[in-house]
Amino acid sequence: MVDQAEDGPRGVSVLPPALALRKEAEDELLKAAEAPSERIVRRIVEDLNAKIREMLLKPRPARRWA
């Protein structure tokens, strides 16, 4: 039996990387809004910014034209 989350099997992403990061950013910002301290908010946002920076610095995959 496959362990499933609300949106499908865990560990399987059906979104392109940029959209998956955008979804993660939305989730993290909601988490930051509920954080009990500024220190925790800053850590959440710093981690998110690091992921965004990493995504922006990665080369884009080459397009294959059919």
Side-chain angles (χ1 to χ4, degrees), residues 47-63:
D47 291 346
L48 179 57
N49 284 340
K51 290 177 182 180
I52 292 170
R53 192 170 19 262
E54 180 183 335
M55 174 70 79
L56 291 173
L57 294 175
K58 282 184 181 177
R60 293 185 180 183
R63 288 187 178 213

Side-chain angles (χ1 to χ4, degrees), residues 31-32 34-47:
K31 191 186 326 179
E34 299 294 323
S37 71
E38 181 181 344
R39 181 179 56 82
I40 294 172
V41 171
R42 287 181 179 273
R43 186 173 64 224
I44 291 169
V45 174
E46 286 172 4
D47 291 346

